[in-house]
Amino acid sequence: MKLVLFNAHDIVLFLTIYLCLLFALIATIGRRSYGWGNVWLGGFLLSQALMAFHILALWGEVFHGWVTGHVSWIFAVSELSMWLEGPLLLLYARSVLFTQGGFRRADWVLLAPFGLYLLFCLGALWQYTGESESPVLQFLRSDSVQFYEHFRNLVRAGFGVWALWTIKSYEPRLTDVYSNVDHLSFRWLKVLVVGFITLRLWSILYLTIYTGFNFVLGDGAIQKGDLDGVGIASNYGQLLLISGLLYYGFGVANGVHKVAHEVLEEVGRPNNEEERAPYTHEQVQRVSRYMTSARPYLNSNLKLEDLAAQVSVSPKLLSNLINREFECNFFEFVNRYRIAEVKQFLSDPGLKDQSVMDLAMRAGYNSKTTFNRLFKNDTGVTPTQFRKLDLPSEVLS
């Protein structure tokens, strides 16, 4: 058999299809305990597999003939995957950040791309009714398809921007709800989303060059085949993106301690006094007594919603109470108690054989860098220097 169906660059597409299908299966079936995050990840990976197959079927000369003769409907399915990849990426990014990663009532807007796809299908059916080939495939071969592709790629890139905005608007608010933030680095997620946006903009550039040259110089001045290098580079970039997503998506993302989206919305700093959650003097005293007696700050993963449940108030009320009565955010409030605990440890002769970091971890820290920075900001000296000082007991409190 001497018939060549694929070229060397197609191996990249086959590898992308294999990885995406394999890990989509693992995500949706083999790792159910991780909840909605892996459902959205599996859906996104499936969309990437269908997109890679779409490229093979549309541009592989011999393979294209086999697909159109046997499974021409696959073009309609792969086109749908391109419309849905953006919403799936956004839903996955949310599931990494928040505990409730399911589909909410307000998320119906994310189905807008599906509605646009249905309009596209209806238009293709109306335009190519009665033809023997698939209406979708005939439209993809038409001269006007590049304008459709421009719009589709802009929508895809737009969802990537939406996901990036969600991450960047979330990060500055971490200290309002977390007592330790060093383990909450979402740089990897931002890099992946930016990579997704870059690839979609790369596709827009490819089409812009094609349509622009033909508009200025006349139809046929440049063929899509003349820009094969741009498309091939996109395929390699897609494989790199998927590889990074698999590495971090199945590793780092599932180990992150998350906060409820509703809690983060609740504790957003109000614009006026009327929006502040009211509290009483008894509640202030209750929080202070609980911090001293129960020492919840020893839990390095303590979150605002955890402490709120322990002192029987709402997260919004507790956040407002801390902001106004103690003039700090949740992160600063909890770490004041941790610093005081460490100072007591360092001044205890019975603990002189224990390392500074061991004592810091006992007090609820899980990062040496953060501990040293906060300790020096509070005392003006390093923990080691502080240990050598002979201070009266009132300084230690």
Side-chain angles (χ1 to χ4, degrees):
M1 182 176 180
K2 297 182 179 180
L3 181 63
V4 178
L5 291 177
F6 309 103
N7 59 45
H9 294 299
D10 292 338
I11 296 174
V12 173
L13 294 170
F14 276 112
L15 186 56
T16 300
I17 294 171
Y18 170 75
L19 288 176
C20 289
L21 290 179
L22 175 63
F23 284 96
L25 183 65
I26 293 174
T28 54
I29 297 178
R31 300 173 70 89
R32 293 177 182 175
S33 60
Y34 288 113
W36 280 101
N38 274 29
V39 173
W40 304 132
L41 176 60
F44 180 76
L45 290 172
L46 181 60
S47 73
Q48 303 308 294
L50 287 169
M51 286 167 49
F53 185 87
H54 178 90
I55 296 171
L56 277 173
L58 194 60
W59 299 108
E61 185 174 350
V62 180
F63 187 55
H64 175 80
W66 182 88
V67 173
T68 54
H70 295 81
V71 288
S72 59
W73 52 266
I74 197 67
F75 289 102
V77 177
S78 58
E79 273 296 315
L80 176 60
S81 71
M82 296 188 196
W83 284 100
L84 295 184
E85 65 163 356
L88 288 169
L89 176 67
L90 176 61
L91 288 168
Y92 173 67
R94 287 182 179 177
S95 71
V96 173
L97 303 176
F98 307 115
T99 51
Q100 292 90 354
F103 197 85
R104 301 171 299 172
R105 183 179 300 177
D107 290 334
W108 284 104
V109 67
L110 301 183
L111 295 180
F114 180 72
L116 293 172
Y117 170 75
L118 290 180
L119 290 176
F120 152 68
C121 288
L122 290 174
L125 286 170
W126 176 77
Q127 184 71 25
Y128 299 101
T129 300
E131 301 289 342
S132 58
E133 279 193 332
S134 162
V136 171
L137 179 57
Q138 291 183 74
F139 178 78
L140 294 176
R141 289 172 172 170
S142 67
D143 294 333
S144 58
V145 68
Q146 61 264 24
F147 302 104
Y148 158 79
E149 290 179 339
H150 269 303
F151 179 67
R152 184 192 62 198
N153 289 335
L154 283 172
V155 172
R156 296 158 78 190
F159 273 96
V161 172
W162 189 350
L164 183 62
W165 176 83
T166 300
I167 300 166
K168 291 189 70 70
S169 62
Y170 171 79
E171 286 184 307
R173 304 169 66 184
L174 292 177
T175 53
D176 289 330
V177 291
Y178 287 101
S179 63
N180 267 322
V181 297
D182 294 272
H183 64 298
L184 297 170
S185 174
F186 298 101
R187 182 179 299 174
W188 65 271
L189 186 59
K190 287 188 290 186
V191 169
L192 291 173
V193 172
V194 168
F196 172 86
I197 298 170
T198 301
L199 287 175
R200 300 303 160 250
L201 293 179
W202 185 262
S203 298
I204 294 173
L205 174 65
Y206 164 78
L207 288 169
T208 301
I209 294 173
Y210 172 75
T211 55
F213 269 77
N214 284 323
F215 177 78
V216 174
L217 302 177
D219 291 339
I222 185 172
Q223 302 296 323
K224 285 191 175 180
D226 299 330
L227 300 173
D228 281 347
V230 180
I232 291 172
S234 178
N235 296 340
Y236 281 85
Q238 190 77 2
L239 180 59
L240 288 175
L241 179 71
I242 293 302
S243 300
L245 180 61
L246 294 177
Y247 177 78
Y248 288 104
F250 284 103
V252 179
N254 290 324
V256 171
H257 296 280
K258 308 172 187 177
V259 67
H261 182 269
E262 292 76 9
V263 171
L264 199 65
E265 291 300 317
E266 280 185 359
V267 302
R269 289 185 171 82
N271 297 322
N272 53 60
E273 290 295 323
E274 287 73 17
E275 295 179 12
R276 295 183 182 275
Y279 56 86
T280 65
H281 179 70
E282 185 276 330
Q283 289 170 328
V284 177
Q285 294 300 312
R286 188 195 316 167
V287 171
S288 296
R289 287 196 302 268
Y290 186 79
M291 293 297 291
T292 303
S293 59
R295 298 158 74 198
Y297 51 85
L298 299 182
N299 175 12
S300 63
N301 295 320
L302 182 68
K303 301 193 295 287
L304 177 73
E305 55 189 314
D306 300 332
L307 182 58
Q310 292 166 16
V311 295
S312 303
V313 299
S314 71
K316 184 176 182 179
L317 186 150
L318 179 60
S319 178
N320 185 35
L321 184 155
I322 291 173
N323 292 340
R324 299 188 67 185
E325 295 297 323
F326 299 94
E327 299 181 344
C328 60
N329 59 33
F330 178 72
F331 174 83
E332 296 165 334
F333 174 71
V334 173
N335 280 284
R336 287 178 183 177
Y337 286 90
R338 288 175 177 161
I339 290 295
E341 188 87 7
V342 175
K343 288 195 287 187
Q344 292 286 349
F345 288 157
L346 292 175
S347 301
D348 186 345
L351 300 175
K352 64 180 181 179
D353 293 331
Q354 294 197 31
S355 70
V356 170
M357 198 56 211
D358 284 342
L359 297 176
M361 292 180 70
R362 282 179 57 181
Y365 286 101
N366 56 16
S367 168
K368 182 178 180 179
T369 303
T370 297
F371 164 65
N372 286 333
R373 175 174 57 82
L374 294 177
F375 192 93
K376 190 166 185 178
N377 288 344
D378 181 81
T379 64
V381 295
T382 67
T384 303
Q385 292 170 335
F386 182 90
R387 201 171 204 173
K388 297 176 182 178
L389 299 177
D390 184 15
L391 299 175
S393 58
E394 60 268 15
V395 176
L396 303 177
S397 60

